[in-house]
Amino acid sequence: MSKYLGTINVTPEGFKGIVGNPQNRQEVNTPLFNSLGFEIEHYWFGVGENNIYIVFGATDNDVDVQALVMAVCASGIVNTMRAVRIIDAEEGKRAAEKASAILYSPPGS
């Protein structure tokens, strides 16, 4: 299962709904994520901004991740949603080790 960082830019109307009916949004959104076989690991509100950050585990299926983004954006309560695949520090180390062995000539050299 891959991990993703979702960044949701909420509209004023979205926050109007959140303020008008305060709820734990992670609990409310869990069924949506679970319906695609995803699991929410973390759910944060950015302080002093209109972003929500979600770390979630998802199957290696780009179509399902894109379907989630489309469904959230179609709701009309967000300006944008991004879902970026993320890797942990150990995976980053392995990527750096592989990168050090790659021979690459940048343009102009």
Side-chain angles (χ1 to χ4, degrees):
M1 191 172 267
S2 299
K3 292 194 189 297
Y4 290 82
L5 172 63
T7 304
I8 300 171
N9 183 265
V10 182
T11 65
E13 294 79 21
F15 274 119
K16 183 177 180 181
I18 290 170
V19 171
N21 184 18
Q23 308 170 39
N24 179 320
R25 296 302 300 167
Q26 180 173 344
E27 291 174 1
V28 170
N29 284 297
T30 293
L32 166 64
F33 282 76
N34 289 349
S35 73
L36 292 163
F38 301 168
E39 182 178 333
I40 297 174
E41 295 181 17
H42 302 283
Y43 195 105
W44 298 295
F45 285 81
V47 175
E49 61 180 23
N50 61 330
N51 287 332
I52 294 172
Y53 301 93
I54 304 171
V55 175
F56 62 97
T59 57
D60 292 329
N61 183 332
D62 291 339
V63 171
D64 287 350
V65 173
Q66 185 60 30
L68 172 69
V69 172
M70 294 170 86
V72 171
C73 288
S75 73
I77 57 95
V78 304
N79 289 313
T80 59
M81 178 179 179
R82 295 179 54 197
V84 177
R85 187 163 178 221
I86 55 177
I87 58 176
D88 64 25
E90 185 56 38
E91 291 169 313
K93 177 183 175 236
R94 288 197 312 266
E97 289 168 350
K98 284 186 177 187
S100 70
I102 294 173
L103 298 175
Y104 173 69
S105 296
S109 59

